[in-house]
Amino acid sequence: SSRRPEGDEQCESAMKALASTLCLAAASALVLIALAVGSAAATTAEAATTFRGSVFMVDGVVDPATVKVTLAERGAGASGDVAMKSTYLQVPQKFYKTFQPGKQYRSANGQGRQVRPQGEFNFEFHNVPAGTHTLDVVAVGVIFQQYRIDVSEGGGDLEERVRVSSNQDPNKMFRYPLKVKPAGTVSYFDQRSNFFSLSTLMKNPMY
């Protein structure tokens, strides 16, 4: 029987050792990549959060489902770009068993519109990044104040990472989750004026 040259055997052993080393190196690289991806995902999950709040409606006429809530992230760069999210109040279907949108509720004596509570309706924003944000609540005929939302980076309790204050007065703080209440109402129609009365027209020399 023929015997393989000693040099060939050494070369084959070296090739096997090299292949084994390369496999181990590739496996180690894959493990490091997986750890890096997992760490990045965990960091992103910690930095982003879900912001929750509620709006207390007392108008009695506005359909809560039409109330829009916006959250604008203030741009940190020189361009001042703003990233905006928007959502609407969450209204349970059973609410509409007793509420008729647009109905004018009158007081017992028939004078003026009776304002009656509608309830508290929730809203939420997912994946809110760390930074400073401005929250607005928009409803026809109802005025809400503007809020400043500061979300800090890192882990820990959400209540400690979220700071809610008045956008006009940063020293005025609010608890989280935020509970928004109307600041007032506004009418888009003025009372009928007597400017075009018959007596005014008779005094006008053009008639």
Side-chain angles (χ1 to χ4, degrees):
S1 61
S2 60
R3 182 180 178 182
R4 296 177 59 186
E6 185 177 350
D8 291 345
E9 293 180 355
Q10 293 178 349
C11 182
E12 184 177 354
S13 298
M15 293 295 293
K16 289 181 178 180
L18 178 60
S20 178
T21 302
L22 290 175
C23 288
L24 290 175
S28 299
L30 290 175
V31 171
L32 291 175
I33 292 174
L35 290 175
V37 171
S39 177
T43 302
T44 302
E46 291 180 354
T49 185
T50 297
F51 183 87
R52 293 182 173 87
S54 60
V55 177
F56 184 71
M57 296 294 296
V58 295
D59 175 78
V61 175
V62 177
D63 185 350
T66 64
V67 177
K68 187 176 183 179
V69 185
T70 63
L71 187 67
E73 179 184 3
R74 301 181 182 181
S79 60
D81 295 336
V82 176
M84 181 174 293
K85 298 174 178 286
S86 64
T87 187
Y88 290 88
L89 298 183
Q90 301 170 3
V91 183
Q93 289 297 323
K94 63 180 181 180
F95 170 78
Y96 294 101
K97 293 182 179 179
T98 58
F99 175 78
Q100 299 180 13
K103 180 179 179 181
Q104 297 291 325
Y105 296 98
R106 295 285 178 180
S107 59
N109 57 11
Q111 297 180 357
R113 181 168 60 84
Q114 179 184 8
V115 177
R116 71 179 194 179
Q118 294 170 265
E120 187 176 7
F121 305 93
N122 298 325
F123 68 87
E124 60 184 22
F125 291 98
H126 299 285
N127 300 322
V128 178
T132 302
H133 310 263
T134 301
L135 186 139
D136 286 285
V137 181
V138 182
V140 176
V142 186
I143 302 173
F144 296 91
Q145 68 171 310
Q146 195 176 62
Y147 298 89
R148 171 175 172 153
I149 313 297
D150 292 291
V151 181
S152 60
E153 297 181 351
D157 294 336
L158 188 58
E159 288 77 5
E160 298 178 356
R161 293 177 50 212
V162 177
R163 182 178 183 270
V164 183
S165 60
S166 170
N167 198 44
Q168 290 72 26
D169 183 8
N171 295 321
K172 186 176 181 180
M173 305 294 298
F174 299 90
R175 291 183 178 181
Y176 178 81
L178 177 63
K179 294 182 179 294
V180 180
K181 295 183 179 181
T185 58
V186 61
S187 176
Y188 294 97
F189 301 97
D190 296 331
Q191 293 182 352
R192 183 176 299 176
S193 173
N194 294 326
F195 179 77
F196 291 105
S197 64
L198 181 60
S199 59
T200 302
L201 294 176
M202 293 298 292
K203 294 178 182 178
N204 192 328
M206 295 297 294
Y207 293 94

